[in-house]
Amino acid sequence: MKKSSGKRCNCRMVFYELRNINGNLMPHFFGIIFPNIMCFLLSQTVISQVPEAARETANTSLMLSLSLVIPMSIMFLGYGALYAQEVEREIPLRMRLFGYGVGAEVLAKVIAHLIFMTFALTVYGLFQGLVMDMKRPTVQAFLGWILSLYLIGGVCLVLAHGIAGICRKFSLTFGIDMILYFMIMILTGMMGIKTDQLPKGLQKCAALLPMTHISNDYVDFWLGGSYRFMPLLQSFLFLGAAAGIVLLISNHTSRRQNRV
């Protein structure tokens, strides 16, 4: 008789993960409140000094840039903090004892975080559409933007999962995640410093991140212009490979821990 590999992912598990997310203030603040407030404040201060003819384009560029904060905050900071707490408290091990497999647990977390990210993006889109004067995108540019945000979110989640699995301590995981989070924001031009103002070495590092290409160049495609997708695709491949390597190291570390 075939042995069961464990309970499968179900709606109850997804709702459980959604409740965990709601109990964590970090994704709510950094994923919903922070990007909306920053976008609004910068549009009323910095962008207001831009000549009126270029103001809509500047607002659009600002909106695209700060939209990247949402997947990074929810799928990287939020997921990383939540999963690190669970690992430290050995909750995944308890889930195994109750018959829930690793795949079912991770799938429930991924679905819950994708639902929350979709909600955050919807709030962001509605709020920015109401309070900011922006250029309307082409259909291709809009779909490409949405796809890129979800791809970034997926890679960030894999990276956060790997870091938490390696560190196995909330404090260490959170510290590493916060350092990487703000480093990425600085490199990709989301902290007020444009990427082309950075030293040449840091510009090369920034070019390896897909956030850089969306933050700095994507507005031209949004407005109907041409766009070179190859650098964006190459950066996705690099970041995905880096996240994959971290996850492999994490899995190896977990197997060693289980043997001890």
Side-chain angles (χ1 to χ4, degrees):
M1 199 169 180
K2 206 173 185 179
K3 279 188 180 180
S4 175
S5 58
K7 297 179 182 179
R8 294 182 179 181
C9 177
N10 52 48
C11 292
R12 185 176 296 178
M13 291 181 69
V14 174
F15 285 133
Y16 169 77
E17 296 298 339
L18 283 171
R19 286 198 298 270
N20 285 343
I21 294 172
N22 284 329
N24 183 5
L25 293 177
M26 193 175 304
H28 292 78
F29 177 77
F30 285 104
I32 298 176
I33 298 171
F34 178 71
N36 281 294
I37 288 179
M38 283 299 295
C39 203
F40 177 72
L41 291 177
L42 290 173
S43 68
Q44 298 299 309
T45 53
V46 178
I47 304 298
S48 63
Q49 300 174 16
V50 174
E52 191 171 348
R55 201 167 294 168
E56 280 190 349
T57 301
N59 278 333
T60 304
S61 180
L62 176 65
M63 184 277 295
L64 291 172
S65 181
L66 286 175
S67 69
L68 298 167
V69 173
I70 296 173
M72 288 172 56
S73 298
I74 294 171
M75 309 298 270
F76 185 65
L77 273 187
Y79 179 89
L82 188 61
Y83 185 64
Q85 287 177 323
E86 292 184 356
V87 170
E88 189 171 16
R89 296 170 184 168
E90 296 187 341
I91 291 176
L93 179 59
R94 297 175 195 175
M95 296 289 283
R96 301 296 88 73
L97 295 175
F98 282 101
Y100 291 98
V102 177
E105 181 192 0
V106 172
L107 181 58
K109 291 180 186 298
V110 170
I111 293 172
H113 280 79
L114 285 174
I115 290 171
F116 189 78
M117 179 178 157
T118 301
F119 172 74
L121 286 172
T122 303
V123 171
Y124 184 78
L126 291 174
F127 183 78
Q128 301 309 319
L130 288 172
V131 303
M132 287 182 62
D133 295 323
M134 296 183 298
K135 297 281 189 180
R136 290 187 178 181
T138 62
V139 175
Q140 298 94 324
F142 178 77
L143 293 176
W145 171 61
I146 293 295
L147 178 62
S148 296
L149 291 178
Y150 278 98
L151 285 174
I152 289 170
V155 174
C156 284
L157 186 143
V158 171
L159 184 60
H161 188 94
I163 293 172
I166 293 170
C167 298
R168 309 189 74 82
K169 294 286 184 183
F170 169 75
S171 57
L172 182 57
T173 301
F174 184 68
I176 292 172
D177 286 353
M178 286 296 287
I179 290 170
L180 289 174
Y181 178 80
F182 284 108
M183 279 180 61
I184 290 171
M185 288 187 71
I186 292 169
L187 288 173
T188 56
M190 287 185 270
M191 296 291 283
I193 304 172
K194 292 184 178 180
T195 304
D196 55 14
Q197 294 175 328
L198 296 171
K200 293 292 183 183
L202 292 180
Q203 287 184 35
K204 290 180 180 179
C205 293
L208 299 173
L209 302 171
M211 300 79 148
T212 301
H213 303 286
I214 295 172
S215 179
N216 292 279
D217 309 324
Y218 201 80
V219 67
D220 295 331
F221 186 51
W222 185 275
L223 300 177
S226 60
Y227 187 72
R228 291 175 60 238
F229 279 96
M230 190 53 66
L232 178 63
L233 293 174
Q234 288 172 341
S235 63
F236 266 120
L237 289 173
F238 171 79
L239 189 61
I245 291 170
V246 172
L247 183 63
L248 287 174
I249 296 171
S250 170
N251 290 338
H252 179 69
T253 303
S254 297
R255 283 196 294 269
R256 288 184 62 186
Q257 289 280 341
N258 293 334
R259 288 173 190 165
V260 174

PDB file of all heavy atoms in Angstrom, residues 212-243:
ATOM      1  N   THR A 212      16.620  47.912 -11.037  1.00  0.00           N
ATOM      2  CA  THR A 212      17.308  49.058 -11.622  1.00  0.00           C
ATOM      3  C   THR A 212      16.714  49.417 -12.976  1.00  0.00           C
ATOM      4  O   THR A 212      16.448  50.594 -13.264  1.00  0.00           O
ATOM      5  CB  THR A 212      18.812  48.751 -11.793  1.00  0.00           C
ATOM      6  OG1 THR A 212      19.361  48.449 -10.525  1.00  0.00           O
ATOM      7  CG2 THR A 212      19.553  49.943 -12.388  1.00  0.00           C
ATOM      8  N   HIS A 213      16.480  48.421 -13.803  1.00  0.00           N
ATOM      9  CA  HIS A 213      16.006  48.668 -15.171  1.00  0.00           C
ATOM     10  C   HIS A 213      14.564  49.177 -15.179  1.00  0.00           C
ATOM     11  O   HIS A 213      14.208  50.021 -15.992  1.00  0.00           O
ATOM     12  CB  HIS A 213      16.141  47.388 -15.989  1.00  0.00           C
ATOM     13  CG  HIS A 213      17.547  46.856 -16.017  1.00  0.00           C
ATOM     14  ND1 HIS A 213      18.545  47.453 -16.760  1.00  0.00           N
ATOM     15  CD2 HIS A 213      18.121  45.815 -15.365  1.00  0.00           C
ATOM     16  CE1 HIS A 213      19.676  46.775 -16.578  1.00  0.00           C
ATOM     17  NE2 HIS A 213      19.442  45.788 -15.739  1.00  0.00           N
ATOM     18  N   ILE A 214      13.748  48.688 -14.253  1.00  0.00           N
ATOM     19  CA  ILE A 214      12.367  49.165 -14.179  1.00  0.00           C
ATOM     20  C   ILE A 214      12.329  50.562 -13.595  1.00  0.00           C
ATOM     21  O   ILE A 214      11.578  51.429 -14.065  1.00  0.00           O
ATOM     22  CB  ILE A 214      11.512  48.191 -13.349  1.00  0.00           C
ATOM     23  CG1 ILE A 214      11.434  46.841 -14.061  1.00  0.00           C
ATOM     24  CG2 ILE A 214      10.114  48.754 -13.119  1.00  0.00           C
ATOM     25  CD1 ILE A 214      10.775  45.751 -13.261  1.00  0.00           C
ATOM     26  N   SER A 215      13.122  50.819 -12.578  1.00  0.00           N
ATOM     27  CA  SER A 215      13.132  52.121 -11.914  1.00  0.00           C
ATOM     28  C   SER A 215      13.667  53.234 -12.811  1.00  0.00           C
ATOM     29  O   SER A 215      13.175  54.362 -12.777  1.00  0.00           O
ATOM     30  CB  SER A 215      13.977  52.038 -10.639  1.00  0.00           C
ATOM     31  OG  SER A 215      14.019  53.280  -9.982  1.00  0.00           O
ATOM     32  N   ASN A 216      14.640  52.913 -13.648  1.00  0.00           N
ATOM     33  CA  ASN A 216      15.310  53.965 -14.425  1.00  0.00           C
ATOM     34  C   ASN A 216      14.866  54.059 -15.882  1.00  0.00           C
ATOM     35  O   ASN A 216      14.834  55.164 -16.434  1.00  0.00           O
ATOM     36  CB  ASN A 216      16.827  53.732 -14.388  1.00  0.00           C
ATOM     37  CG  ASN A 216      17.420  53.957 -13.013  1.00  0.00           C
ATOM     38  OD1 ASN A 216      17.680  55.083 -12.617  1.00  0.00           O
ATOM     39  ND2 ASN A 216      17.614  52.891 -12.254  1.00  0.00           N
ATOM     40  N   ASP A 217      14.542  52.930 -16.506  1.00  0.00           N
ATOM     41  CA  ASP A 217      14.334  52.928 -17.956  1.00  0.00           C
ATOM     42  C   ASP A 217      12.904  52.617 -18.396  1.00  0.00           C
ATOM     43  O   ASP A 217      12.520  52.949 -19.508  1.00  0.00           O
ATOM     44  CB  ASP A 217      15.269  51.901 -18.628  1.00  0.00           C
ATOM     45  CG  ASP A 217      16.715  52.082 -18.205  1.00  0.00           C
ATOM     46  OD1 ASP A 217      17.119  53.240 -18.010  1.00  0.00           O
ATOM     47  OD2 ASP A 217      17.430  51.074 -18.067  1.00  0.00           O
ATOM     48  N   TYR A 218      12.139  51.977 -17.536  1.00  0.00           N
ATOM     49  CA  TYR A 218      10.862  51.417 -17.984  1.00  0.00           C
ATOM     50  C   TYR A 218       9.838  52.478 -18.360  1.00  0.00           C
ATOM     51  O   TYR A 218       8.911  52.207 -19.129  1.00  0.00           O
ATOM     52  CB  TYR A 218      10.281  50.491 -16.917  1.00  0.00           C
ATOM     53  CG  TYR A 218       9.265  49.513 -17.458  1.00  0.00           C
ATOM     54  CD1 TYR A 218       9.670  48.352 -18.111  1.00  0.00           C
ATOM     55  CD2 TYR A 218       7.898  49.753 -17.327  1.00  0.00           C
ATOM     56  CE1 TYR A 218       8.748  47.453 -18.625  1.00  0.00           C
ATOM     57  CE2 TYR A 218       6.966  48.862 -17.829  1.00  0.00           C
ATOM     58  CZ  TYR A 218       7.399  47.712 -18.477  1.00  0.00           C
ATOM     59  OH  TYR A 218       6.480  46.827 -18.988  1.00  0.00           O
ATOM     60  N   VAL A 219      10.007  53.686 -17.841  1.00  0.00           N
ATOM     61  CA  VAL A 219       9.037  54.750 -18.131  1.00  0.00           C
ATOM     62  C   VAL A 219       8.947  55.045 -19.628  1.00  0.00           C
ATOM     63  O   VAL A 219       7.877  55.407 -20.139  1.00  0.00           O
ATOM     64  CB  VAL A 219       9.382  56.029 -17.333  1.00  0.00           C
ATOM     65  CG1 VAL A 219      10.696  56.644 -17.796  1.00  0.00           C
ATOM     66  CG2 VAL A 219       8.244  57.043 -17.413  1.00  0.00           C
ATOM     67  N   ASP A 220      10.055  54.883 -20.364  1.00  0.00           N
ATOM     68  CA  ASP A 220      10.037  55.125 -21.815  1.00  0.00           C
ATOM     69  C   ASP A 220       9.110  54.131 -22.509  1.00  0.00           C
ATOM     70  O   ASP A 220       8.344  54.501 -23.409  1.00  0.00           O
ATOM     71  CB  ASP A 220      11.458  55.016 -22.390  1.00  0.00           C
ATOM     72  CG  ASP A 220      12.384  56.095 -21.848  1.00  0.00           C
ATOM     73  OD1 ASP A 220      11.877  57.180 -21.520  1.00  0.00           O
ATOM     74  OD2 ASP A 220      13.594  55.834 -21.739  1.00  0.00           O
ATOM     75  N   PHE A 221       9.171  52.869 -22.097  1.00  0.00           N
ATOM     76  CA  PHE A 221       8.288  51.847 -22.659  1.00  0.00           C
ATOM     77  C   PHE A 221       6.841  52.097 -22.236  1.00  0.00           C
ATOM     78  O   PHE A 221       5.904  51.886 -23.004  1.00  0.00           O
ATOM     79  CB  PHE A 221       8.756  50.469 -22.198  1.00  0.00           C
ATOM     80  CG  PHE A 221       8.019  49.324 -22.826  1.00  0.00           C
ATOM     81  CD1 PHE A 221       7.859  49.231 -24.206  1.00  0.00           C
ATOM     82  CD2 PHE A 221       7.479  48.322 -22.039  1.00  0.00           C
ATOM     83  CE1 PHE A 221       7.177  48.172 -24.786  1.00  0.00           C
ATOM     84  CE2 PHE A 221       6.794  47.254 -22.604  1.00  0.00           C
ATOM     85  CZ  PHE A 221       6.641  47.182 -23.979  1.00  0.00           C
ATOM     86  N   TRP A 222       6.658  52.561 -21.006  1.00  0.00           N
ATOM     87  CA  TRP A 222       5.329  52.887 -20.472  1.00  0.00           C
ATOM     88  C   TRP A 222       4.641  53.950 -21.335  1.00  0.00           C
ATOM     89  O   TRP A 222       3.427  53.908 -21.550  1.00  0.00           O
ATOM     90  CB  TRP A 222       5.480  53.383 -19.041  1.00  0.00           C
ATOM     91  CG  TRP A 222       4.214  53.654 -18.281  1.00  0.00           C
ATOM     92  CD1 TRP A 222       3.481  54.803 -18.293  1.00  0.00           C
ATOM     93  CD2 TRP A 222       3.549  52.766 -17.367  1.00  0.00           C
ATOM     94  NE1 TRP A 222       2.414  54.686 -17.449  1.00  0.00           N
ATOM     95  CE2 TRP A 222       2.424  53.443 -16.866  1.00  0.00           C
ATOM     96  CE3 TRP A 222       3.799  51.467 -16.922  1.00  0.00           C
ATOM     97  CZ2 TRP A 222       1.551  52.868 -15.939  1.00  0.00           C
ATOM     98  CZ3 TRP A 222       2.930  50.901 -16.008  1.00  0.00           C
ATOM     99  CH2 TRP A 222       1.829  51.590 -15.531  1.00  0.00           C
ATOM    100  N   LEU A 223       5.437  54.882 -21.845  1.00  0.00           N
ATOM    101  CA  LEU A 223       4.904  55.992 -22.643  1.00  0.00           C
ATOM    102  C   LEU A 223       4.799  55.658 -24.130  1.00  0.00           C
ATOM    103  O   LEU A 223       4.506  56.533 -24.942  1.00  0.00           O
ATOM    104  CB  LEU A 223       5.781  57.237 -22.453  1.00  0.00           C
ATOM    105  CG  LEU A 223       5.886  57.757 -21.014  1.00  0.00           C
ATOM    106  CD1 LEU A 223       6.842  58.937 -20.933  1.00  0.00           C
ATOM    107  CD2 LEU A 223       4.527  58.136 -20.474  1.00  0.00           C
ATOM    108  N   GLY A 224       5.090  54.418 -24.483  1.00  0.00           N
ATOM    109  CA  GLY A 224       4.932  53.998 -25.871  1.00  0.00           C
ATOM    110  C   GLY A 224       6.209  53.934 -26.672  1.00  0.00           C
ATOM    111  O   GLY A 224       6.178  53.644 -27.877  1.00  0.00           O
ATOM    112  N   GLY A 225       7.342  54.193 -26.031  1.00  0.00           N
ATOM    113  CA  GLY A 225       8.619  54.151 -26.731  1.00  0.00           C
ATOM    114  C   GLY A 225       9.165  52.735 -26.826  1.00  0.00           C
ATOM    115  O   GLY A 225       8.554  51.767 -26.372  1.00  0.00           O
ATOM    116  N   SER A 226      10.333  52.609 -27.420  1.00  0.00           N
ATOM    117  CA  SER A 226      10.981  51.299 -27.539  1.00  0.00           C
ATOM    118  C   SER A 226      11.692  50.954 -26.234  1.00  0.00           C
ATOM    119  O   SER A 226      11.974  51.836 -25.415  1.00  0.00           O
ATOM    120  CB  SER A 226      11.980  51.301 -28.692  1.00  0.00           C
ATOM    121  OG  SER A 226      12.978  52.290 -28.477  1.00  0.00           O
ATOM    122  N   TYR A 227      11.987  49.672 -26.064  1.00  0.00           N
ATOM    123  CA  TYR A 227      12.623  49.229 -24.827  1.00  0.00           C
ATOM    124  C   TYR A 227      13.497  48.013 -25.104  1.00  0.00           C
ATOM    125  O   TYR A 227      13.068  47.086 -25.798  1.00  0.00           O
ATOM    126  CB  TYR A 227      11.567  48.890 -23.774  1.00  0.00           C
ATOM    127  CG  TYR A 227      12.132  48.588 -22.410  1.00  0.00           C
ATOM    128  CD1 TYR A 227      12.665  49.594 -21.615  1.00  0.00           C
ATOM    129  CD2 TYR A 227      12.150  47.280 -21.911  1.00  0.00           C
ATOM    130  CE1 TYR A 227      13.183  49.326 -20.374  1.00  0.00           C
ATOM    131  CE2 TYR A 227      12.672  46.994 -20.659  1.00  0.00           C
ATOM    132  CZ  TYR A 227      13.189  48.030 -19.898  1.00  0.00           C
ATOM    133  OH  TYR A 227      13.719  47.767 -18.661  1.00  0.00           O
ATOM    134  N   ARG A 228      14.713  48.024 -24.563  1.00  0.00           N
ATOM    135  CA  ARG A 228      15.627  46.887 -24.700  1.00  0.00           C
ATOM    136  C   ARG A 228      15.393  45.931 -23.526  1.00  0.00           C
ATOM    137  O   ARG A 228      15.746  46.232 -22.388  1.00  0.00           O
ATOM    138  CB  ARG A 228      17.071  47.375 -24.722  1.00  0.00           C
ATOM    139  CG  ARG A 228      17.445  48.160 -25.972  1.00  0.00           C
ATOM    140  CD  ARG A 228      18.851  48.721 -25.901  1.00  0.00           C
ATOM    141  NE  ARG A 228      19.845  47.669 -25.756  1.00  0.00           N
ATOM    142  CZ  ARG A 228      20.701  47.588 -24.747  1.00  0.00           C
ATOM    143  NH1 ARG A 228      20.672  48.480 -23.774  1.00  0.00           N
ATOM    144  NH2 ARG A 228      21.586  46.608 -24.698  1.00  0.00           N
ATOM    145  N   PHE A 229      14.771  44.795 -23.822  1.00  0.00           N
ATOM    146  CA  PHE A 229      14.419  43.851 -22.776  1.00  0.00           C
ATOM    147  C   PHE A 229      15.577  42.968 -22.343  1.00  0.00           C
ATOM    148  O   PHE A 229      15.525  42.381 -21.254  1.00  0.00           O
ATOM    149  CB  PHE A 229      13.255  42.956 -23.245  1.00  0.00           C
ATOM    150  CG  PHE A 229      11.913  43.606 -23.105  1.00  0.00           C
ATOM    151  CD1 PHE A 229      11.333  44.253 -24.178  1.00  0.00           C
ATOM    152  CD2 PHE A 229      11.237  43.586 -21.897  1.00  0.00           C
ATOM    153  CE1 PHE A 229      10.092  44.856 -24.057  1.00  0.00           C
ATOM    154  CE2 PHE A 229       9.996  44.186 -21.760  1.00  0.00           C
ATOM    155  CZ  PHE A 229       9.415  44.824 -22.843  1.00  0.00           C
ATOM    156  N   MET A 230      16.616  42.854 -23.171  1.00  0.00           N
ATOM    157  CA  MET A 230      17.700  41.932 -22.865  1.00  0.00           C
ATOM    158  C   MET A 230      18.380  42.230 -21.521  1.00  0.00           C
ATOM    159  O   MET A 230      18.593  41.301 -20.723  1.00  0.00           O
ATOM    160  CB  MET A 230      18.727  41.921 -23.998  1.00  0.00           C
ATOM    161  CG  MET A 230      19.757  40.802 -23.861  1.00  0.00           C
ATOM    162  SD  MET A 230      19.014  39.147 -23.641  1.00  0.00           S
ATOM    163  CE  MET A 230      18.213  38.946 -25.238  1.00  0.00           C
ATOM    164  N   PRO A 231      18.744  43.495 -21.212  1.00  0.00           N
ATOM    165  CA  PRO A 231      19.349  43.753 -19.894  1.00  0.00           C
ATOM    166  C   PRO A 231      18.424  43.375 -18.735  1.00  0.00           C
ATOM    167  O   PRO A 231      18.893  42.846 -17.722  1.00  0.00           O
ATOM    168  CB  PRO A 231      19.621  45.265 -19.921  1.00  0.00           C
ATOM    169  CG  PRO A 231      19.727  45.610 -21.367  1.00  0.00           C
ATOM    170  CD  PRO A 231      18.755  44.711 -22.057  1.00  0.00           C
ATOM    171  N   LEU A 232      17.114  43.610 -18.893  1.00  0.00           N
ATOM    172  CA  LEU A 232      16.161  43.251 -17.850  1.00  0.00           C
ATOM    173  C   LEU A 232      16.101  41.732 -17.677  1.00  0.00           C
ATOM    174  O   LEU A 232      16.129  41.219 -16.548  1.00  0.00           O
ATOM    175  CB  LEU A 232      14.777  43.802 -18.191  1.00  0.00           C
ATOM    176  CG  LEU A 232      13.643  43.475 -17.204  1.00  0.00           C
ATOM    177  CD1 LEU A 232      13.924  44.076 -15.836  1.00  0.00           C
ATOM    178  CD2 LEU A 232      12.303  43.979 -17.748  1.00  0.00           C
ATOM    179  N   LEU A 233      16.051  41.000 -18.779  1.00  0.00           N
ATOM    180  CA  LEU A 233      16.006  39.538 -18.715  1.00  0.00           C
ATOM    181  C   LEU A 233      17.286  38.972 -18.104  1.00  0.00           C
ATOM    182  O   LEU A 233      17.247  38.029 -17.301  1.00  0.00           O
ATOM    183  CB  LEU A 233      15.785  38.957 -20.117  1.00  0.00           C
ATOM    184  CG  LEU A 233      14.437  39.248 -20.767  1.00  0.00           C
ATOM    185  CD1 LEU A 233      14.424  38.735 -22.202  1.00  0.00           C
ATOM    186  CD2 LEU A 233      13.304  38.636 -19.968  1.00  0.00           C
ATOM    187  N   GLN A 234      18.428  39.541 -18.482  1.00  0.00           N
ATOM    188  CA  GLN A 234      19.698  39.072 -17.931  1.00  0.00           C
ATOM    189  C   GLN A 234      19.772  39.304 -16.419  1.00  0.00           C
ATOM    190  O   GLN A 234      20.283  38.462 -15.679  1.00  0.00           O
ATOM    191  CB  GLN A 234      20.858  39.787 -18.636  1.00  0.00           C
ATOM    192  CG  GLN A 234      21.071  39.326 -20.072  1.00  0.00           C
ATOM    193  CD  GLN A 234      22.095  40.176 -20.808  1.00  0.00           C
ATOM    194  OE1 GLN A 234      22.402  41.305 -20.405  1.00  0.00           O
ATOM    195  NE2 GLN A 234      22.643  39.637 -21.881  1.00  0.00           N
ATOM    196  N   SER A 235      19.253  40.441 -15.977  1.00  0.00           N
ATOM    197  CA  SER A 235      19.265  40.731 -14.536  1.00  0.00           C
ATOM    198  C   SER A 235      18.336  39.783 -13.778  1.00  0.00           C
ATOM    199  O   SER A 235      18.642  39.369 -12.655  1.00  0.00           O
ATOM    200  CB  SER A 235      18.868  42.189 -14.285  1.00  0.00           C
ATOM    201  OG  SER A 235      17.539  42.444 -14.710  1.00  0.00           O
ATOM    202  N   PHE A 236      17.204  39.413 -14.397  1.00  0.00           N
ATOM    203  CA  PHE A 236      16.314  38.433 -13.770  1.00  0.00           C
ATOM    204  C   PHE A 236      17.016  37.082 -13.645  1.00  0.00           C
ATOM    205  O   PHE A 236      16.898  36.397 -12.617  1.00  0.00           O
ATOM    206  CB  PHE A 236      15.026  38.277 -14.593  1.00  0.00           C
ATOM    207  CG  PHE A 236      13.904  39.160 -14.127  1.00  0.00           C
ATOM    208  CD1 PHE A 236      13.344  40.100 -14.989  1.00  0.00           C
ATOM    209  CD2 PHE A 236      13.396  39.055 -12.841  1.00  0.00           C
ATOM    210  CE1 PHE A 236      12.309  40.919 -14.570  1.00  0.00           C
ATOM    211  CE2 PHE A 236      12.357  39.873 -12.412  1.00  0.00           C
ATOM    212  CZ  PHE A 236      11.808  40.801 -13.281  1.00  0.00           C
ATOM    213  N   LEU A 237      17.737  36.700 -14.683  1.00  0.00           N
ATOM    214  CA  LEU A 237      18.467  35.437 -14.649  1.00  0.00           C
ATOM    215  C   LEU A 237      19.525  35.439 -13.557  1.00  0.00           C
ATOM    216  O   LEU A 237      19.695  34.450 -12.832  1.00  0.00           O
ATOM    217  CB  LEU A 237      19.106  35.153 -16.009  1.00  0.00           C
ATOM    218  CG  LEU A 237      18.153  34.784 -17.147  1.00  0.00           C
ATOM    219  CD1 LEU A 237      18.912  34.693 -18.472  1.00  0.00           C
ATOM    220  CD2 LEU A 237      17.457  33.455 -16.853  1.00  0.00           C
ATOM    221  N   PHE A 238      20.237  36.552 -13.422  1.00  0.00           N
ATOM    222  CA  PHE A 238      21.286  36.646 -12.396  1.00  0.00           C
ATOM    223  C   PHE A 238      20.682  36.571 -10.998  1.00  0.00           C
ATOM    224  O   PHE A 238      21.139  35.787 -10.149  1.00  0.00           O
ATOM    225  CB  PHE A 238      22.073  37.946 -12.537  1.00  0.00           C
ATOM    226  CG  PHE A 238      23.010  38.207 -11.398  1.00  0.00           C
ATOM    227  CD1 PHE A 238      24.235  37.571 -11.333  1.00  0.00           C
ATOM    228  CD2 PHE A 238      22.647  39.065 -10.365  1.00  0.00           C
ATOM    229  CE1 PHE A 238      25.096  37.782 -10.259  1.00  0.00           C
ATOM    230  CE2 PHE A 238      23.498  39.284  -9.286  1.00  0.00           C
ATOM    231  CZ  PHE A 238      24.729  38.637  -9.242  1.00  0.00           C
ATOM    232  N   LEU A 239      19.658  37.388 -10.739  1.00  0.00           N
ATOM    233  CA  LEU A 239      19.052  37.410  -9.404  1.00  0.00           C
ATOM    234  C   LEU A 239      18.388  36.071  -9.084  1.00  0.00           C
ATOM    235  O   LEU A 239      18.475  35.582  -7.948  1.00  0.00           O
ATOM    236  CB  LEU A 239      18.034  38.551  -9.311  1.00  0.00           C
ATOM    237  CG  LEU A 239      17.477  38.843  -7.914  1.00  0.00           C
ATOM    238  CD1 LEU A 239      18.603  39.245  -6.973  1.00  0.00           C
ATOM    239  CD2 LEU A 239      16.427  39.961  -7.976  1.00  0.00           C
ATOM    240  N   GLY A 240      17.750  35.461 -10.098  1.00  0.00           N
ATOM    241  CA  GLY A 240      17.136  34.153  -9.887  1.00  0.00           C
ATOM    242  C   GLY A 240      18.166  33.089  -9.571  1.00  0.00           C
ATOM    243  O   GLY A 240      17.950  32.233  -8.697  1.00  0.00           O
ATOM    244  N   ALA A 241      19.305  33.129 -10.269  1.00  0.00           N
ATOM    245  CA  ALA A 241      20.378  32.166 -10.012  1.00  0.00           C
ATOM    246  C   ALA A 241      20.943  32.358  -8.610  1.00  0.00           C
ATOM    247  O   ALA A 241      21.202  31.378  -7.894  1.00  0.00           O
ATOM    248  CB  ALA A 241      21.477  32.316 -11.055  1.00  0.00           C
ATOM    249  N   ALA A 242      21.141  33.609  -8.199  1.00  0.00           N
ATOM    250  CA  ALA A 242      21.661  33.897  -6.863  1.00  0.00           C
ATOM    251  C   ALA A 242      20.701  33.386  -5.790  1.00  0.00           C
ATOM    252  O   ALA A 242      21.120  32.761  -4.800  1.00  0.00           O
ATOM    253  CB  ALA A 242      21.890  35.398  -6.701  1.00  0.00           C
ATOM    254  N   ALA A 243      19.392  33.630  -5.993  1.00  0.00           N
ATOM    255  CA  ALA A 243      18.388  33.152  -5.038  1.00  0.00           C
ATOM    256  C   ALA A 243      18.371  31.627  -5.004  1.00  0.00           C
ATOM    257  O   ALA A 243      18.229  31.018  -3.932  1.00  0.00           O
ATOM    258  CB  ALA A 243      17.015  33.703  -5.408  1.00  0.00           C
TER     259      ALA A 243
END
